[in-house]
Amino acid sequence: MRRRLRAGELGSASVIVALVVIWAVFESLDTSFLSPRNLSNLSVDIVGTGLIAVGVVFVLLVGEIDLSVASVSALAAALFAAGNVHYGIPEVPAVLLALAAAAAVGAVQGFLVARVGVPSFVVTLAGLLGWNGLTLYIFGGQGSIILDDEGLVVTLTHYYFHDVAVAYGLAALGTAAYFLLSYRTARRRRAIGALPVQGSREIVLRTLALAAVSFAAAWTLNQFLGLPLALLIFLAFLVCLDLLLRRTTYGRRIFALGGSVEPARRAGIAVVSVRVSVFMISSTMAAIGGLFLASRITSASETASSGNLLMQAIAAAVIGGTSLFGGRGRTWSALLGILVIQSIASGMALLGIPVAVQLMITGVVLLAAVIIDTLARRTMHAHGLA
């Protein structure tokens, strides 16, 4: 750990420390902050924006930016709501329509960036304005469309597994899967002989730490309503996309492209296809996040693409540890980052502090994360690691 810190490989340690400090401060100011009710609500509140932030991670990994995610999320919610409520399209086809439209948006924006060569900042800024305008056109001045309280989409954020065995079982399953995967990876690396290997002691300690956090979270959630379905879906997305990034050829191509484009091209990587695909993933995840945000308030609103959502999604990815320079980050960065942001929002809401102050503090946290990322990258360059 000391060696990695000296080399600038901070990982998620600084974010976890910051999160612990934030929770400790707010709990000392209001003892209801760490109550089961508030933490359960927090676990659902992070899902919509967190899913959008996961998509942003993919774009940042290749050294690009997507400023249209908030507008795409609102557009997807509007398409679903208008199709389901106004035109009577069943929920599942309406959801698929919204996701397909978002994927098409990502494909168009990715093509303009990767093939035409327009900077991603310009393309997605135009997308931010254009898709927001299309969303307003779909609403037609209505302001919002109320969703069916008993529908599938609303159920996503309002259903809880009341059986305590579900939360504890998930904690046990996740811990066991992590241990087995770490053990298998270490054994394969040891067989190769030329790669750094986690020792058995480190694997056991990490597994015990994960078990402690997982079972503590399960116990807390079971003290209120149980495991939220929304949180379960969010964790499933994080695990699957993390495996996609770290365990597949496609994921390695994304990291290679984020490191340097020309060497990746010379290595035979289809640079255009990979860059287009990450924009498609970003837009699709934005659409999924938009549906969860609409589910949370049981309506689709033309104000859903507010600047705060864009800021929070990008800030969550960066604060969680994804580099703005590309080539470094994980899907779990989105979880850590959105936990920091939403914890600040939740704590300030309990204390009655204005939203303006919350935005200022979040801005300071984001700036600190970027400064740390810049210094870490400089240190890694000095050690020949970047």
Side-chain angles (χ1 to χ4, degrees), residues 3-18:
R3 177 190 62 78
R4 293 181 65 182
L5 290 176
R6 284 198 300 268
E9 300 180 70
L10 300 178
S12 58
S14 58
V15 188
I16 294 174
V17 170

Side-chain angles (χ1 to χ4, degrees), residues 65-69 71 109 112-113 118-133 279 310 314:
I65 190 70
D66 189 350
L67 301 178
S68 69
V69 288
S71 295
Q109 294 184 159
L112 293 175
V113 173
V118 184
S120 59
F121 178 87
V122 177
V123 171
T124 57
L125 180 60
L128 181 153
L129 300 173
W131 308 128
N132 187 47
F279 279 95
L310 172 63
I314 296 178

Side-chain angles (χ1 to χ4, degrees), residues 125-355:
L125 180 60
L128 181 153
L129 300 173
W131 308 128
N132 187 47
L134 179 57
T135 301
L136 295 177
Y137 179 81
I138 292 173
F139 279 108
Q142 283 185 282
S144 63
I145 301 175
I146 306 300
L147 303 180
D148 180 8
D149 288 342
E150 304 297 327
L152 172 65
V153 170
V154 172
T155 302
L156 292 175
T157 56
H158 292 80
Y159 182 82
Y160 292 78
F161 296 96
H162 299 297
D163 189 345
V164 297
V166 177
Y168 288 127
L170 179 64
L173 180 62
T175 302
Y178 174 81
F179 174 79
L180 293 175
L181 191 59
S182 299
Y183 178 77
R184 182 188 176 196
T185 301
R187 188 175 62 178
R188 292 178 62 183
R189 285 173 172 260
R190 195 174 291 112
I192 295 174
L195 298 173
V197 180
Q198 279 186 341
S200 299
R201 181 181 178 184
E202 182 179 357
I203 293 176
V204 171
L205 290 176
R206 286 174 177 267
T207 303
L208 291 175
L210 177 62
V213 173
S214 300
F215 280 95
W219 179 86
T220 303
L221 293 174
N222 282 332
Q223 298 305 302
F224 185 53
L225 294 175
L227 176 67
L229 174 62
L231 179 60
L232 178 61
I233 295 174
F234 185 29
L235 293 176
F237 269 106
L238 289 173
V239 171
C240 292
L241 293 177
D242 182 65
L243 291 175
L244 176 68
L245 278 178
R246 297 193 302 115
R247 302 283 176 173
T248 66
T249 302
Y250 172 72
R252 288 189 285 271
R253 288 172 179 170
I254 291 178
F255 281 107
L257 188 57
S260 183
V261 175
E262 192 55 36
R265 193 190 313 276
R266 293 180 180 179
I269 295 176
V271 173
V272 173
S273 299
V274 174
R275 295 177 77 186
V276 171
S277 68
V278 297
F279 279 95
M280 292 180 67
I281 291 174
S282 177
S283 292
T284 304
M285 293 304 299
I288 297 173
L291 292 175
F292 273 85
L293 290 172
S295 169
R296 187 62 170 155
I297 61 174
T298 67
S299 67
S301 171
E302 63 182 19
T303 61
S305 60
S306 65
N308 289 349
L309 178 59
L310 172 63
M311 180 274 293
Q312 288 176 349
I314 296 178
V318 176
I319 290 172
T322 301
S323 175
L324 281 171
F325 303 99
R328 192 171 75 252
R330 295 182 60 180
T331 58
W332 296 99
S333 302
L335 173 60
L336 292 173
I338 195 59
L339 269 176
V340 169
I341 293 174
Q342 201 60 46
S343 294
I344 294 173
S346 176
M348 290 192 170
L350 289 175
L351 297 174
I353 298 176
V355 176

Side-chain angles (χ1 to χ4, degrees), residues 44-63:
V44 179
D45 290 338
I46 66 174
V47 173
T49 309
L51 287 168
I52 300 174
V54 172
V56 173
V57 168
F58 277 79
V59 175
L60 292 179
L61 283 175
V62 297

